[in-house]
Amino acid sequence: MVINPPMQIGDALVNLGLRHGGYLSGLKMYSPGSSGTVAKIFGPAYTVRMVHASDKTSPNPPHHFVDAIPKGSVVFISQPKGLISACWGGLMSTRAKKLGAAGVVIDGRFRDIAEHREMNIGLFARGLSILGSNTFTRSSELDVPVEYENVEVDEKVTITPGDYILGDQDGVVAVPVSYIEECVRLCQERLEIDEETKKCLDAGEEMGPTIKKLRK
């Protein structure tokens, strides 16, 4: 898949009928930071569903979830809502990077931000915490569909294992596998139009007529 910016992919998915374009609102790029060399993450989703530590009925994974990260994947952690504790930390990213993870997205909180930036690993999350996960959460199911809530629009986006996750400074988007081919086609068309639009604007042409002419 062509690695277009998330904003182009989001627009393409909206045009294909996917409400809000697979955008995962509320995530921030915490690592590598503004001075880092890695500004983008891209890869198929490896999902981890966390549950409350007190939950004794949900399944237990056969091994530590970090040890099962496929090379080239984006780790997507789904943390229970309403917690102020972290569910990811520096040691986990150390192992994830060793296994070749393409990045980490946390629907929740993490800690050890300095360690992550030193590792230059791409990491997105809803927020930070000083609290570890041990007494608050545990991993349950691996590589299962999880839901991400876009709070502002009261919408849940389902992340299915293998969906492509792309993130940069502008945000994070999830691309369902069934949309990939058409999404690539539309993104390429839009890229060519945007490049031509910029040439016109650089030459001093007005925005209105230029948009009308090129974006039919």
Side-chain angles (χ1 to χ4, degrees), residues 23-64:
Y23 175 45
L24 306 182
S25 173
L27 293 169
K28 175 183 176 182
M29 188 178 77
Y30 285 92
S31 174
S34 59
S35 61
T37 57
V38 178
K40 183 180 292 184
I41 64 171
F42 173 76
Y46 162 68
T47 63
V48 179
R49 187 173 75 88
M50 309 290 286
V51 296
H52 291 277
S54 59
D55 183 344
K56 306 302 181 184
T57 60
S58 295
N60 287 286
H63 37 61
H64 196 289

Side-chain angles (χ1 to χ4, degrees), residues 99-154:
L99 292 174
V104 182
V105 176
I106 304 164
D107 182 7
R109 299 171 182 264
F110 79 106
R111 66 179 183 176
D112 305 321
I113 187 172
E115 290 183 38
H116 289 90
R117 289 179 174 175
E118 287 173 5
M119 282 185 273
N120 204 40
I121 188 169
L123 184 144
F124 296 74
R126 286 194 187 261
L128 285 158
S129 178
I130 63 168
L131 302 174
S133 63
N134 189 41
T135 58
F136 298 97
T137 57
R138 66 172 180 84
S139 61
S140 177
E141 296 177 280
L142 312 181
D143 259 349
V144 296
V146 296
E147 290 187 333
Y148 182 93
E149 185 176 2
N150 284 333
V151 179
E152 301 90 339
V153 292
D154 191 25

Side-chain angles (χ1 to χ4, degrees), residues 154-169:
D154 191 25
E155 175 195 53
K156 292 183 179 180
V157 179
T158 299
I159 310 297
T160 301
D163 286 352
Y164 275 85
I165 305 293
L166 175 63
D168 66 11
Q169 292 95 330

